[in-house]
Amino acid sequence: MTIREELLSLLICPETGAALSGWDGASEQGTLTTDDGRSYPVTDGIANLLPDTLRGGPADDTEVAEKRSEMQARDAQVKSYDQMLGLKLFTYYEIPLTLKFLPLESSHLMLEGGCGTGRMTRTFAERTRGLLCVDFSRESLRVAKTKVPPELADRVLFVQADLSRLPTRSDAFDRVGSFGVYEHIPTPEARDGALKHLARACKSAKDGGRLALSAYRWGPPISWSSQREGHHPGGIYFIRLTQNELKAQCSPHFSVHGATEALLYYHLIWGQKDNHG
């Protein structure tokens, strides 16, 4: 089994949790199906495993409406996002600190939850055995895919999915990371769902599993001039949290073993499932 086939075997139906088959993980076009007849298209080598609520139909609640708004905004802003000088400078400092909190080994399988346009994806791919990249912006995934050089492509799989309905098997990944994503999940219930699924996908502490997460920080000096909650231009929801708030939200799903505010704009935390679910 190739690494990409192994990653493919870890995907499940976002609605039922059933196994998926029918795509080799390498072809640019295809379809993933379940035994009960559900089907999910693959376009440009990216599988669409969005839940039914985000694949079409009415946006009948706040969570769905906000997520669809962000998906559209991310798709529309994909070309300008990587041109932001401040983001490039921030990433320069963010990556080494992230690797300190989430040390990677060449034997690891990793899940990157919310890879965006791939500003950290190549770094993770270079340091792991296999990498599953998830985001719900198709255009962002297309860009991220181009940043993986040919010699690493066979160990990376890109999937369009919702972190609150993460379509992966449980206890599957040695490392799970989600960076600059959590603060954009629009409701407390959806944020709790994302934490639940990210922790579920990670191996337990006894098996060496480890998670890391970053999110907007609330406190001085950010709180002197910024909103705590609102929308960025284009319709992207955000919320800023204190470190204690973030720890409290994580604690039902995994234990936080370390945290830093060294990035000032973000909290960065790491933890393990220990005796959690």
Side-chain angles (χ1 to χ4, degrees), residues 46-273:
I46 300 169
N48 181 340
L49 293 181
L50 289 172
D52 291 347
T53 54
L54 295 182
R55 295 173 77 192
D60 54 3
D61 62 32
T62 299
E63 178 185 339
V64 173
E66 290 279 10
K67 286 183 175 181
R68 287 190 183 177
S69 176
E70 182 178 351
M71 289 168 65
Q72 293 171 358
R74 297 289 185 190
D75 285 349
Q77 297 172 13
V78 69
K79 291 183 179 179
S80 61
Y81 186 75
D82 281 349
Q83 303 306 314
M84 298 168 60
L85 179 60
L87 182 64
K88 291 180 180 180
L89 292 173
F90 182 79
T91 302
Y92 178 81
Y93 292 100
E94 180 185 19
I95 286 178
L97 189 61
T98 297
L99 293 175
K100 179 180 178 180
F101 272 61
L102 193 69
L104 304 178
E105 298 177 8
S106 59
S107 61
H108 287 160
L109 288 181
M110 180 176 176
L111 167 67
E112 184 182 8
C115 66
T117 59
R119 64 193 180 90
M120 303 173 80
T121 298
R122 178 169 179 166
T123 296
F124 296 149
E126 290 172 338
R127 290 164 171 77
T128 56
R129 181 167 66 88
L131 176 66
L132 179 65
C133 298
V134 171
D135 203 276
F136 65 10
S137 164
R138 172 160 288 276
E139 294 305 314
S140 294
L141 288 164
R142 290 182 197 271
V143 172
K145 196 166 181 279
T146 68
K147 295 179 181 178
V148 177
E151 64 271 19
L152 299 177
D154 287 344
R155 66 173 78 166
V156 184
L157 191 66
F158 290 89
V159 175
Q160 186 180 17
D162 180 4
L163 292 188
S164 301
R165 300 284 292 278
L166 191 63
T168 69
R169 297 186 185 279
S170 300
D171 304 305
F173 296 92
D174 303 284
R175 295 290 185 265
V176 172
S178 184
F179 307 105
V181 178
Y182 183 73
E183 66 269 21
H184 299 301
I185 301 174
T187 66
E189 295 78 13
R191 290 192 288 274
D192 186 70
L195 291 171
K196 173 184 176 181
H197 281 280
L198 289 167
R200 179 184 60 78
C202 190
K203 291 181 180 179
S204 66
K206 67 180 178 62
D207 292 323
R210 186 163 173 153
L211 307 88
L213 175 82
S214 70
Y216 280 174
R217 173 182 170 273
W218 182 246
I222 303 300
S223 55
W224 297 341
S225 59
S226 300
Q227 288 180 277
R228 183 175 173 89
E229 185 175 12
H231 289 81
H232 291 314
I236 299 173
Y237 168 87
F238 70 86
I239 187 170
R240 294 184 169 93
L241 304 166
T242 68
Q243 190 175 108
N244 285 339
E245 288 171 336
L246 184 58
K247 287 180 176 179
Q249 291 174 25
C250 291
S251 63
H253 307 294
F254 64 91
S255 297
V256 176
H257 295 326
T260 181
E261 296 183 349
L263 292 170
L264 190 63
Y265 197 66
Y266 278 98
H267 299 291
L268 180 60
I269 67 172
W270 77 270
Q272 293 178 293
K273 286 197 304 192

